[in-house]
Short mmCIF file of all heavy atoms in Angstrom, two decimals:
data_model
loop_
_atom_site.label_atom_id
_atom_site.label_comp_id
_atom_site.label_asym_id
_atom_site.label_seq_id
_atom_site.Cartn_x
_atom_site.Cartn_y
_atom_site.Cartn_z
N VAL A 11 5.19 15.63 -4.46
CA VAL A 11 5.43 16.60 -5.53
C VAL A 11 4.11 17.18 -6.02
O VAL A 11 4.01 18.39 -6.29
CB VAL A 11 6.22 15.95 -6.68
CG1 VAL A 11 6.23 16.85 -7.92
CG2 VAL A 11 7.65 15.65 -6.25
N THR A 12 3.09 16.34 -6.16
CA THR A 12 1.78 16.83 -6.60
C THR A 12 1.18 17.80 -5.59
O THR A 12 0.64 18.85 -5.96
CB THR A 12 0.82 15.65 -6.83
OG1 THR A 12 1.38 14.78 -7.82
CG2 THR A 12 -0.54 16.14 -7.30
N ILE A 13 1.30 17.47 -4.30
CA ILE A 13 0.81 18.39 -3.26
C ILE A 13 1.61 19.69 -3.30
O ILE A 13 1.05 20.78 -3.16
CB ILE A 13 0.91 17.72 -1.87
CG1 ILE A 13 -0.02 16.50 -1.81
CG2 ILE A 13 0.54 18.72 -0.78
CD1 ILE A 13 0.17 15.66 -0.55
N PHE A 14 2.92 19.58 -3.48
CA PHE A 14 3.75 20.78 -3.59
C PHE A 14 3.28 21.68 -4.72
O PHE A 14 3.19 22.91 -4.56
CB PHE A 14 5.21 20.40 -3.83
CG PHE A 14 6.02 21.50 -4.44
CD1 PHE A 14 6.45 22.58 -3.68
CD2 PHE A 14 6.34 21.48 -5.79
CE1 PHE A 14 7.18 23.62 -4.25
CE2 PHE A 14 7.06 22.50 -6.37
CZ PHE A 14 7.48 23.58 -5.60
N ALA A 15 2.97 21.09 -5.88
CA ALA A 15 2.57 21.88 -7.05
C ALA A 15 1.34 22.72 -6.75
O ALA A 15 1.22 23.86 -7.21
CB ALA A 15 2.32 20.96 -8.24
N PHE A 16 0.40 22.16 -5.98
CA PHE A 16 -0.79 22.92 -5.60
C PHE A 16 -0.45 23.93 -4.50
O PHE A 16 -0.84 25.10 -4.57
CB PHE A 16 -1.88 21.96 -5.11
CG PHE A 16 -3.15 22.66 -4.68
CD1 PHE A 16 -4.11 22.99 -5.61
CD2 PHE A 16 -3.36 22.99 -3.35
CE1 PHE A 16 -5.28 23.65 -5.22
CE2 PHE A 16 -4.52 23.64 -2.94
CZ PHE A 16 -5.49 23.96 -3.89
N ALA A 17 0.28 23.48 -3.48
CA ALA A 17 0.57 24.33 -2.32
C ALA A 17 1.44 25.52 -2.66
O ALA A 17 1.32 26.59 -2.05
CB ALA A 17 1.24 23.49 -1.23
N LEU A 18 2.33 25.36 -3.64
CA LEU A 18 3.24 26.43 -4.04
C LEU A 18 2.49 27.72 -4.34
O LEU A 18 2.92 28.81 -3.95
CB LEU A 18 4.03 25.98 -5.27
CG LEU A 18 4.79 27.05 -6.06
CD1 LEU A 18 5.87 27.67 -5.19
CD2 LEU A 18 5.39 26.45 -7.32
N VAL A 19 1.37 27.60 -5.03
CA VAL A 19 0.61 28.79 -5.43
C VAL A 19 -0.14 29.39 -4.24
O VAL A 19 -0.38 30.59 -4.20
CB VAL A 19 -0.37 28.42 -6.55
CG1 VAL A 19 -1.02 29.67 -7.13
CG2 VAL A 19 0.33 27.64 -7.65
N ILE A 20 -0.51 28.56 -3.30
CA ILE A 20 -1.38 29.00 -2.21
C ILE A 20 -0.60 29.63 -1.06
O ILE A 20 -1.01 30.64 -0.48
CB ILE A 20 -2.20 27.80 -1.68
CG1 ILE A 20 -2.99 27.16 -2.83
CG2 ILE A 20 -3.12 28.23 -0.56
CD1 ILE A 20 -3.95 28.09 -3.53
N SER A 21 0.56 29.05 -0.71
CA SER A 21 1.28 29.49 0.48
C SER A 21 2.77 29.21 0.33
O SER A 21 3.16 28.09 0.02
CB SER A 21 0.74 28.78 1.73
OG SER A 21 1.62 28.90 2.82
N PRO A 108 1.20 16.77 -11.48
CA PRO A 108 1.68 18.05 -10.95
C PRO A 108 1.21 19.25 -11.77
O PRO A 108 0.93 20.31 -11.19
CB PRO A 108 3.21 17.90 -11.00
CG PRO A 108 3.45 16.44 -10.96
CD PRO A 108 2.32 15.84 -11.73
N ALA A 111 -2.35 19.87 -10.80
CA ALA A 111 -2.39 20.41 -9.43
C ALA A 111 -1.97 21.87 -9.41
O ALA A 111 -2.57 22.70 -8.71
CB ALA A 111 -1.50 19.57 -8.52
N PHE A 112 -0.93 22.21 -10.15
CA PHE A 112 -0.46 23.59 -10.20
C PHE A 112 -1.55 24.50 -10.79
O PHE A 112 -1.82 25.59 -10.25
CB PHE A 112 0.82 23.70 -11.03
CG PHE A 112 1.30 25.10 -11.21
CD1 PHE A 112 2.07 25.72 -10.23
CD2 PHE A 112 0.99 25.83 -12.35
CE1 PHE A 112 2.51 27.03 -10.38
CE2 PHE A 112 1.42 27.13 -12.51
CZ PHE A 112 2.18 27.73 -11.53
N ALA A 114 -4.73 23.98 -10.86
CA ALA A 114 -5.83 24.05 -9.91
C ALA A 114 -5.51 25.05 -8.79
O ALA A 114 -6.38 25.83 -8.36
CB ALA A 114 -6.11 22.67 -9.32
N GLY A 115 -4.26 25.06 -8.35
CA GLY A 115 -3.85 26.04 -7.34
C GLY A 115 -3.94 27.46 -7.86
O GLY A 115 -4.41 28.37 -7.16
N ALA A 116 -3.50 27.67 -9.11
CA ALA A 116 -3.57 29.00 -9.71
C ALA A 116 -5.02 29.46 -9.85
O ALA A 116 -5.34 30.63 -9.60
CB ALA A 116 -2.87 29.00 -11.06
N THR A 118 -7.56 28.51 -8.02
CA THR A 118 -8.07 28.78 -6.67
C THR A 118 -7.63 30.16 -6.19
O THR A 118 -8.42 30.95 -5.65
CB THR A 118 -7.57 27.70 -5.69
OG1 THR A 118 -7.99 26.41 -6.15
CG2 THR A 118 -8.11 27.95 -4.29
#
Side-chain angles (χ1 to χ4, degrees):
V11 168
T12 301
I13 296 171
F14 158 76
F16 179 85
L18 165 63
V19 189
I20 304 301
S21 164
F112 176 83
T118 302

